[in-house]
Amino acid sequence: LVMFPETANMPTAMSWHMAARLCNWYHNGKVNEAWAFETGAYDTSTFVQLPDGSRLDQLTRSPGARFWIPSVDEWIKAAYYDPNRYGHGVEGYWQQPNGTNQPLISDYPQNGGQTNAGSGVDIYTVMAVGQYPGTQSPWGLLDVSGGRIEWLEDPVDVLYSRDRQHAGSFQGQSLYMFRDPIDLVLRGGARAEDQALGIRLAAAIPAPGSVLVLSCCTLPLAARRRRST
């Protein structure tokens, strides 16, 4: 059931705590029971704010988590790492999140654009996910550039709270805030944990060598859908 079908493919926005509960729900097989949201990847009983403003939040995923909010290093690796960067079997990192070192073109897809981050796209233009299928990371990730800022698992101590970092360039940035190069991924900025940001979940895929996959989620109200890599 989708309450508003026209929003079914729009990027998700939610708080970090809600994203953690979503991971629990996926971890528990998407069972529509309250317990399925409470534990698994993250123990929600730790989501407590103390009188001094500090938090008791579980800082990292539980051992054996099947889905989780990626760390900054996992996010960067999924966006920029290429096992064949310098030739077959010679690994390395690209500067840009599309497997190149050339800055992405900020413009609409119909104009040959590669991202909706930057000044080439109106900040008030709402775009569904997957509008730039030709812009993918070496692992096949879509929408690494543009869209919404995304939550990360790593905490940053700011004003005695354990706010999480966020990553990625986002739609509506000015040209001077176009943070696509790997050395400009946001590591130090923190947001209040109840702010609505985008999410991209990580999952361990049972396979030889165990492959890490990151998926950009869309979840408008009752709609549950995620972009597969």
Side-chain angles (χ1 to χ4, degrees):
L1 173 65
V2 179
M3 188 173 295
F4 299 105
E6 65 275 13
T7 69
N9 212 31
M10 294 300 176
T12 298
M14 63 180 68
S15 70
W16 191 94
H17 292 116
M18 287 302 296
R21 291 181 171 90
L22 178 64
C23 292
N24 288 342
W25 186 64
Y26 277 126
H27 174 91
N28 291 309
K30 298 187 286 189
V31 177
N32 289 321
E33 299 288 345
W35 63 264
F37 294 87
E38 295 170 358
T39 189
Y42 302 93
D43 182 358
T44 60
S45 69
T46 67
F47 293 176
V48 177
Q49 185 168 13
L50 301 178
D52 65 359
S54 62
R55 305 197 64 93
L56 295 179
D57 292 1
Q58 179 179 341
L59 295 181
T60 58
R61 78 214 59 151
S62 300
R66 299 174 56 216
F67 297 89
W68 63 89
I69 301 167
S71 69
V72 62
D73 289 332
E74 290 168 339
W75 194 97
I76 288 174
K77 188 169 186 177
Y80 299 94
Y81 173 76
D82 186 344
N84 301 305
R85 166 69 173 87
Y86 297 103
H88 182 69
V90 185
E91 62 184 5
Y93 287 79
W94 295 97
Q95 268 290 312
Q96 300 291 330
N98 68 332
T100 74
N101 290 327
Q102 302 301 316
L104 300 183
I105 299 171
S106 175
D107 207 336
Y108 294 93
Q110 62 271 25
N111 297 334
Q114 297 173 299
T115 178
N116 58 12
S119 60
V121 175
D122 192 307
I123 187 174
Y124 299 108
T125 300
V126 179
M127 298 181 69
V129 300
Q131 295 299 297
Y132 298 89
T135 304
Q136 300 184 22
S137 79
W139 294 96
L141 249 63
L142 296 171
D143 304 321
V144 175
S145 174
R148 291 186 179 273
I149 301 175
E150 298 169 4
W151 285 116
L152 296 176
E153 189 178 65
D154 306 69
V156 180
D157 290 325
V158 177
L159 299 178
Y160 306 104
S161 65
R162 290 173 171 173
D163 291 346
R164 263 66 181 190
Q165 299 177 7
H166 52 281
S169 58
F170 58 98
Q171 182 179 349
Q173 293 184 105
S174 71
L175 185 62
Y176 303 104
M177 297 290 287
F178 197 177
R179 295 185 175 94
D180 267 345
I182 187 172
D183 53 347
L184 293 181
V185 172
L186 304 185
R187 286 175 172 262
R191 300 284 180 120
E193 297 216 356
D194 59 355
Q195 181 167 341
L197 298 183
I199 58 170
R200 188 179 294 266
L201 303 187
I205 305 300
S210 184
V211 178
L212 177 69
V213 175
L214 291 175
S215 297
C216 184
C217 288
T218 59
L219 193 78
L221 299 177
R224 300 180 180 89
R225 188 173 175 185
R226 63 192 181 94
R227 269 298 167 195
S228 173
T229 60

